[in-house]
Structures are given as C-alpha cells and as structure tokens.
Amino acid sequence: MYGTMTSSLCPHADIQGTLLTREQVEEISTRISKSVSENVSKQLEKAMASANSSKGK
C-alpha cells in the first residue's frame, strides 16, 4: 500500500518521492499539536498577565 509515487505536477518524470507511513504522519501530527498547544498556552498566559496588570491600574 505504501510505496513510491511520481507527482503529476512535476515536469520531471524522473523525480520521485516516497509516501509517509501512518506512524510518521502521526508523529508529525503529534509534534505539531504539541507545539501549537505550547504556543497558545504561552499567549494565554501573557494575555492574562496583561489583563491582570491593567485591572490593577
């Protein structure tokens, strides 16, 4: 099922790429999700800190 494919969008027929395995896709997805989650958490912390300091004024 997994193998080599040639892109029909590429004008060079000799250029080939390999498909990612399900495990590779899951690993990449997990890393992206973790990174996004960490970035959102940091932004929320900054926003909450900013909101709290604004209330104190």
Side-chain angles (χ1 to χ4, degrees), residues 15-56:
I15 297 177
Q16 296 181 342
T18 56
L19 296 174
L20 296 173
T21 64
R22 180 179 298 273
E23 290 80 16
Q24 289 171 318
V25 171
E26 289 174 358
E27 180 182 339
I28 292 167
S29 177
T30 298
R31 280 193 257 160
I32 291 171
S33 295
K34 183 179 177 183
S35 177
V36 169
S37 178
E38 289 172 354
N39 286 335
V40 169
S41 293
K42 288 177 186 176
Q43 290 176 9
L44 283 172
E45 288 174 8
K46 287 180 184 179
M48 290 172 60
S50 177
N52 287 338
S53 67
S54 295
K55 286 181 183 179

